[in-house]
Amino acid sequence: MSDVEMGEAGKAKIIDGNAIAKQVRQDISDKITQLQSTNPTFHAPHLVIFQLGSSPASSTYIRMKLKAAEESGMTVEHIQIPSDAESGAIAGTGVKKVLEAVTKANSDEKVSGILVQLPLEGAGKAEEKAVVDSVDVSKDVDGFHPENIGLLSSRIGHPHFVPCTPAGSIKLIESTGFDLKGSNVVVLGRSDIVGTPVCALLRKKDATVTQCHSRTKNLEQIVKTADVVVAAIGQAEFVKGDWLKPGAIVIDVGTNYIPDSTKKSGQRLVGDVHFESASKVASYITPVPGGVGPMTVAMLMNNTFEAAKKAWESRRAKKLTPLHLEIKEKVPSDIEIAVAQTPKPVATIAEEIGVHPDEVESYGRYKAKIELSVLDRLKDRLDGKYIVVAGITPTPLGEGKSTTTIGLAQALGAHLQKTAIACVRQPSQGPTFGVKGGAAGGGYSQVIPMTEFNLHLTGDIHAVTAANNLLAAAIDARMFHEATQTDKGLFNRLCPPKKGVRTFSKPMLARLHKQGVNKTDPNELTEEEAARFARLDIDPSTLTWNRVLDTNDRYLRQITVGQAPTEKGHERKTAFDIAVASECMAVLALSKDLADMRARLGRMVVASSKSGEPITAEDIGCAGAMAVLMKDAIKPTIMQTLEGTPVFVHAGPFANIAHGNSSIIADRIALKLAGIEQGDDESRNGYVITEAGFGADIGMEKFCNIKTRVSGLKPNAVVLVATIRALKMHGGGPAVTPGKPLDAVYTQENLELLEKGCANLGKHIENAKKFGLKVVVAINQFTNDTPAEMELVQKFALGVGADYAVPANHWAKGGEGAVELAKAVIDACAEPSKFQFLYDLNQPLKNKIEIIAKEMYGADGIQLSAEAEEEVARYEKQGYGGLPICMAKTALSLSDDPSKKGVPTGFTLPIRNVRLSAGASFVYPLVGDMSTMPGLTTRPGFYDIDLNPETGDIEGLF
């Protein structure tokens, strides 16, 4: 009984709460030090104390807690909010501010515990209860939350935290060595803070408990039976010594002041027990002060430590609960598989990967947007492993990159228990209703709900369309007004006086600054400055900005606008592009945050003036409005795979005239969520699988040379998807045409044809190695592929430099069919990335184009048309020569000719035109004729898509 001091003969031994509390604080400090020594990611617990008003008593208690926290090795923050009386605010203002502050602390990962110092000055009981109830139960270190109080009384549950005074009282009893089991304990008091919870704790110790209060009859006789008395009745010296059973243990919880003329303050602190008389009868007794009070503070520190430890363990826990897949031997249609699976609520999948509820903006039950604030919260976390999925030169049917991306994520997450997040592009509705179909993957490796994924999703493409077309409308309107007004009239209409005062808008000030004019008052501009400011003087022949629509429509490839009489004969020829070909989409995909997107939209060049100056969206004046239209589109959408692993869907830039990759923001968020803390075990690291469009010569090359330059992220490995079908085509097989049956050569074993076609795979492996990447070849198995064919490709890939080559059957088996592929990816990512760029930006545009043509496509060189030469010269003169290159080339061949399969040689790459995407920050050479508006075939996919009138279900989507 080292914790107990012996009193004089005939007196109770004093239970020294100060000494025991000091030991508790030291133990906590030691535990924190020990935990941090073996787990660097565990940070010192942080307690936040809220105080309403400036009550001297509350301030004294808080000072005790601040000192105890420091001695326990914790950090503590005291937030004091003026009461309504102190601030002069209307009633309830102070409580409202406390509630707001508590809500903020609830969502702050740095806060381990929250304590609301009671009473709240000027607040009623109902208001105090509302504040106490608002504390997150996992941070309620006072133990006052209704859930904690309720669980305390439950025989089958356990509270998150035990109220501090009751917990301290039990520890004081146990310090005497007394066994509570079977003993009689009388508790005086029925408050929710002490009396009732201490009864619950004593019952959990198997004591027989009698709870009394000041109106209990025969109270003295009941107390006389007690082995232990806990006095929390709130009346000074209420319990007398002659009430006690000789040898009883007395825990005095009371804090009462009585008059005492010998004290400077005129009063002294006493408990609920008459100490002098009780100490002559009891065997052990707690003094007041120095008994329960210090222990209350010590147990608060203990709860805060436990809260920090639980939160740390929770953040580290791998909590993903996979969805079970019912695999059928005969694989049903994609939509049949998709609708047969019931997804998890999106809030659940977000929580499983560590996204906070206030970072999730739900769009229905199964999809949501993720707030960009998650990046700031996780800014100190290390990134997870980064894998890009690309493919060999495909057939027009596609070779399953999306399916492989999803299957690999399912294998890593649902089967190997790794944190794995797939990042894919949002599909355009053009192909969805055309020939290719959707892009949710296929078979048992899909994003679900696939109907929502393939259609409107969260409206991002519509937002891009609106922003693009606003700019297009603004350009034509500006050209019309400039053509029909004088310089003075134009200026006056751009800067009309409002209540007699002219002002410039923000984009107008930006244009003036660009022209070297630093004036802010329209009245101060000279006539020449006003004319130069007002007149953009666009050269119509240089206009590159088209309207867009997310539908395949061949009749919009060339149109005439301005035919109405109101346009006074100002007609011009223009065109529509498909929405995902808009530079706004590329900007969305390459933006790092909202401010970056706004700046990029403003930098977009839409034409040149007649004097050769670039005209931007900022000059037009609507870049800010475009950003407003796209402000929600910048947030990635979270969905899930068939096996319940997370998927981020964001942006959908074309892979020919744009860079064909999902967004940087989605990848950055995913990498932080999948990553680990400084000093954490590397085996805990997660994986982000992002897909690059078209073949690796296009999508992977742009991922490496454009996307990673902007993001600063370094990939660890590339997964190259190959199919027997495509390799046979490259070996000389008949043409593969959408909508037509495959030739028998593709459904029967043909090793000779396959071996010839493997050269295409070899070239893509060679290309990937030029970026310093580990190469994992995924041989995407189709139903007709034979073991001999799979083995041939595997041996070839390893023989020409692939680090791994793995057959994968995720289409038919889901994640289970890609487990070996996933293991290969884990091995490939075990070493630090040796990623490097293909070219240095600081060289002429023509040189960079030539490097890509020779190194990636195998061309002998390039040939620029006279028009392309002029465009290159103009862009370099305008200051865009340092931008990366985004080649606009057919995906169906390494060359410019889609009919040339395998590995074409002896060709010169023709560059017809060179276009500028100044907002996206790349220059894109057009190789041959590139259509930016697909057309519909004779038999589009929309023939098979319908709505079931009875169930409302979508049918025929693929």
Side-chain angles (χ1 to χ4, degrees):
M1 297 184 186
S2 59
D3 292 326
V4 179
E5 292 184 3
M6 298 298 296
E8 298 176 9
K11 284 194 174 184
K13 298 172 184 176
I14 304 300
I15 306 175
D16 189 348
N18 283 319
I20 299 171
K22 183 178 180 181
Q23 186 60 53
V24 170
R25 294 194 299 271
Q26 184 59 53
D27 290 346
I28 293 170
S29 180
D30 292 344
K31 288 176 183 177
I32 292 171
T33 301
Q34 183 179 4
L35 195 54
Q36 288 179 325
S37 67
T38 54
N39 298 277
T41 62
F42 179 79
H43 302 296
H46 183 65
L47 173 67
V48 176
I49 302 173
F50 293 102
Q51 179 185 8
L52 179 60
S54 54
S55 161
S58 291
S59 297
T60 299
Y61 291 138
I62 290 171
R63 282 195 295 271
M64 292 169 54
K65 293 164 185 175
L66 295 174
K67 183 181 178 185
E70 184 180 342
E71 292 176 355
S72 302
M74 304 181 189
T75 58
V76 63
E77 182 180 4
H78 174 205
I79 298 176
Q80 188 172 6
I81 295 168
S83 67
D84 296 339
E86 291 170 333
S87 65
I90 60 173
T93 301
V95 171
K96 183 180 179 182
K97 288 182 178 179
V98 173
L99 283 167
E100 290 171 351
V102 168
T103 300
K104 184 177 179 182
N106 282 339
S107 61
D108 189 347
E109 277 192 355
K110 297 183 181 70
V111 176
S112 311
I114 298 172
L115 182 146
V116 178
Q117 183 66 47
L118 299 177
L120 295 175
E121 200 169 299
K125 292 295 181 184
E127 290 175 311
E128 283 193 346
K129 183 179 185 303
V131 172
V132 170
D133 292 359
S134 73
V135 176
D136 189 309
V137 70
S138 66
K139 297 184 179 184
D140 172 39
V141 291
D142 238 351
F144 291 164
H145 192 282
E147 184 176 333
N148 279 324
I149 296 296
L151 287 170
L152 188 62
S153 301
S154 171
R155 294 189 63 187
I156 58 174
H158 298 281
H160 298 269
F161 304 103
V162 174
C164 303
T165 299
S169 299
I170 299 297
K171 195 163 185 70
L172 289 170
I173 297 169
E174 292 176 336
S175 74
T176 68
F178 182 76
D179 187 1
L180 282 165
K181 187 181 295 184
S183 64
N184 291 320
V185 181
V186 171
V187 176
L188 300 175
R190 52 184 173 178
S191 75
D192 290 339
I193 294 175
V194 181
T196 300
V198 84
C199 288
L201 286 175
L202 288 163
R203 290 190 186 99
K204 288 181 181 288
K205 297 287 185 180
D206 294 324
T208 301
V209 182
T210 303
Q211 187 174 15
C212 302
H213 47 82
S214 60
R215 291 181 176 81
T216 301
K217 294 180 179 179
N218 303 317
L219 185 58
E220 293 180 32
Q221 289 87 340
I222 295 172
V223 173
K224 198 82 172 179
T225 66
D227 300 312
V228 178
V229 176
V230 179
I233 206 162
Q235 296 187 33
E237 299 181 329
F238 182 76
V239 179
K240 307 300 190 287
D242 57 6
W243 293 18
L244 300 174
K245 175 182 177 180
I249 297 172
V250 179
I251 305 298
D252 192 350
V253 183
T255 53
N256 312 280
Y257 285 94
I258 61 173
D260 188 340
S261 59
T262 65
K263 300 293 183 182
K264 185 177 181 181
S265 63
Q267 59 183 6
R268 64 185 171 92
L269 183 65
V270 298
D272 288 353
V273 178
H274 188 274
F275 183 80
E276 186 176 353
S277 62
S279 62
K280 295 176 181 178
V281 181
S283 60
Y284 294 92
I285 191 169
T286 58
V288 178
V292 175
M295 285 302 297
T296 297
V297 178
M299 299 316 292
L300 174 66
M301 298 304 113
N302 187 68
N303 280 352
T304 304
F305 168 70
E306 291 298 328
K309 187 178 175 184
K310 288 176 185 176
W312 174 72
E313 289 172 344
S314 175
R315 287 194 296 270
R316 288 167 53 82
K318 303 296 182 182
K319 298 178 289 186
L320 182 77
T321 303
L323 295 174
H324 176 68
L325 259 184
E326 289 287 345
I327 303 288
K328 295 183 179 179
E329 187 173 348
K330 185 179 179 181
V331 180
S333 69
D334 289 351
I335 195 165
E336 286 177 304
I337 294 171
V339 300
Q341 184 68 296
T342 301
K344 291 184 277 190
V346 70
T348 300
I349 194 110
E351 181 185 11
E352 287 178 339
I353 59 173
V355 181
H356 289 181
D358 62 348
E359 294 165 343
V360 179
E361 185 181 343
S362 292
Y363 280 64
R365 188 169 172 78
Y366 300 123
K367 58 183 184 289
K369 281 190 169 293
I370 301 297
E371 296 287 346
L372 272 56
S373 57
V374 70
L375 283 171
D376 186 57
R377 177 170 63 84
L378 300 177
K379 64 181 182 297
D380 296 326
R381 184 179 289 184
L382 300 176
D383 289 341
K385 301 296 185 180
Y386 196 24
I387 302 101
V388 58
V389 177
I392 63 171
T393 306
T395 69
L397 302 178
E399 308 317 307
K401 288 193 311 300
S402 298
T403 305
T404 301
T405 300
I406 302 306
L408 176 56
Q410 291 179 176
L412 285 164
H415 295 268
L416 297 181
Q417 292 75 53
K418 299 290 185 180
T419 299
I421 304 173
C423 292
V424 298
R425 290 179 293 166
Q426 179 183 353
S428 164
Q429 289 178 180
T432 298
F433 290 99
V435 173
K436 185 177 179 292
Y444 288 105
S445 295
Q446 293 188 58
V447 182
I448 56 172
M450 68 94 82
T451 51
E452 296 181 29
F453 174 84
N454 282 319
L455 297 175
H456 305 284
L457 198 62
T458 49
D460 293 356
I461 292 180
H462 301 316
V464 166
T465 301
N468 182 100
N469 292 346
L470 175 63
L471 179 55
I475 293 167
D476 279 321
R478 185 59 173 265
M479 291 172 66
F480 170 79
H481 292 306
E482 288 191 21
T484 57
Q485 297 179 46
T486 64
D487 291 348
K488 185 176 181 180
L490 191 62
F491 180 80
N492 287 337
R493 285 177 174 82
L494 285 170
C495 304
K498 294 180 180 179
K499 295 182 179 180
V501 179
R502 292 180 187 270
T503 58
F504 287 125
S505 64
K506 285 171 63 177
M508 291 178 178
L509 290 170
R511 174 159 173 76
L512 286 167
H513 181 74
K514 176 181 174 182
Q515 293 176 331
V517 178
N518 296 318
K519 299 173 184 177
T520 58
D521 184 350
N523 297 311
E524 293 180 358
L525 265 62
T526 66
E527 188 175 326
E528 182 186 350
E529 287 172 340
R532 197 156 59 93
F533 157 79
R535 197 165 292 281
L536 300 180
D537 204 23
I538 293 172
D539 180 353
S541 68
T542 65
L543 264 174
T544 58
W545 198 263
N546 291 338
R547 289 167 174 81
V548 298
L549 187 71
D550 197 33
T551 302
N552 289 2
D553 192 342
R554 65 192 322 119
Y555 270 74
L556 294 178
R557 289 170 177 167
Q558 183 171 310
I559 62 171
T560 302
V561 295
Q563 291 186 337
T566 50
E567 274 48 74
K568 301 178 182 179
H570 293 282
E571 296 182 7
R572 71 179 184 91
K573 286 187 176 180
T574 182
F576 270 77
D577 297 331
I578 195 160
V580 291
S582 169
E583 187 178 352
C584 294
M585 180 62 84
V587 163
L588 177 67
L590 289 169
S591 294
K592 292 183 281 189
D593 51 39
L594 197 59
D596 186 34
M597 183 181 77
R598 170 61 182 85
R600 286 174 176 273
L601 289 172
R603 293 201 304 265
M604 294 189 305
V605 174
V606 300
S608 293
S609 69
K610 290 173 182 174
S611 62
E613 293 298 314
I615 302 298
T616 66
E618 200 71 69
D619 291 323
I620 299 294
C622 68
M626 295 169 71
V628 168
L629 287 168
M630 292 174 60
K631 73 178 183 66
D632 291 324
I634 200 170
K635 305 170 191 175
T637 298
I638 183 171
M639 298 185 76
Q640 62 193 284
T641 68
L642 282 167
E643 296 191 59
T645 61
V647 179
F648 282 173
V649 187
H650 201 210
F654 246 29
N656 51 15
I657 70 162
H659 63 293
N661 284 261
S662 61
S663 78
I664 286 173
I665 285 175
D667 286 3
R668 287 178 64 209
I669 292 176
L671 285 164
K672 290 300 180 186
L673 291 169
I676 54 177
E677 307 294 339
Q678 287 279 359
D680 212 343
D681 191 327
E682 182 62 31
S683 65
R684 298 180 55 80
N685 220 337
Y687 299 81
V688 173
I689 308 102
T690 190
E691 180 193 355
F694 289 174
D697 58 313
I698 298 178
M700 180 194 71
E701 182 271 316
K702 294 175 182 178
F703 169 85
C704 293
N705 283 323
I706 298 175
K707 185 175 179 180
T708 61
R709 282 188 200 271
V710 176
S711 69
L713 302 171
K714 290 186 176 182
N716 297 89
V718 58
V719 172
L720 273 178
V721 180
T723 63
I724 304 299
R725 178 181 67 193
L727 292 174
K728 285 180 177 177
M729 179 191 71
H730 288 298
V736 175
T737 306
K740 293 184 179 180
L742 284 173
D743 190 275
V745 72
Y746 296 110
T747 57
Q748 298 172 4
E749 184 175 289
N750 190 322
L751 299 180
E752 182 181 356
L753 200 63
L754 178 62
E755 188 171 15
K756 290 179 182 177
C758 280
N760 184 269
L761 170 60
K763 175 58 178 169
H764 287 293
I765 293 171
E766 175 193 320
N767 286 351
K769 284 293 183 179
K770 289 174 181 176
F771 292 101
L773 293 172
K774 289 280 188 178
V775 179
V776 181
V777 173
I779 310 166
N780 187 16
Q781 185 174 348
F782 289 3
T783 52
N784 295 308
D785 298 339
T786 68
E789 289 175 327
M790 300 293 284
E791 184 181 2
L792 187 155
V793 176
Q794 191 173 17
K795 287 183 177 178
F796 175 86
L798 293 172
V800 296
D803 297 283
Y804 306 86
V806 186
N809 196 15
H810 40 280
W811 178 82
K813 295 185 178 180
E816 180 188 353
V819 167
E820 293 306 313
L821 174 63
K823 289 178 179 178
V825 166
I826 291 172
D827 286 347
C829 293
E831 297 179 13
S833 174
K834 296 179 180 178
F835 174 74
Q836 62 188 22
F837 297 119
L838 183 66
Y839 56 81
D840 188 339
L841 288 180
N842 297 316
Q843 55 184 314
L845 292 173
K846 195 171 177 180
N847 287 15
K848 290 180 278 193
I849 297 170
E850 188 167 42
I851 289 171
I852 295 172
K854 288 181 175 180
E855 298 293 332
M856 292 289 105
Y857 313 149
D860 292 336
I862 60 174
Q863 180 64 54
L864 273 68
S865 69
E867 192 175 354
E869 292 276 11
E870 290 176 6
E871 289 160 343
V872 166
R874 180 166 72 246
Y875 298 145
E876 290 184 336
K877 182 181 178 182
Q878 292 174 343
Y880 298 111
L883 295 180
I885 303 300
C886 183
M887 299 293 282
K889 182 187 77 70
T890 177
L892 300 177
S893 172
L894 285 165
S895 73
D896 60 298
D897 183 350
S899 68
K900 292 181 179 178
K901 305 301 181 183
V903 183
T905 57
F907 67 95
T908 298
L909 197 71
I911 308 299
R912 179 170 58 87
N913 289 101
V914 179
R915 297 281 185 258
L916 172 66
S917 288
S921 296
F922 55 69
V923 170
Y924 62 98
L926 297 172
V927 180
D929 293 324
M930 295 297 303
S931 174
T932 54
M933 172 53 84
L936 291 171
T937 61
T938 306
R939 178 59 166 77
F942 62 65
Y943 275 98
D944 303 312
I945 299 172
D946 206 340
L947 199 65
N948 186 310
E950 295 180 4
T951 65
D953 292 337
I954 296 170
E955 298 173 341
L957 202 62
F958 68 102

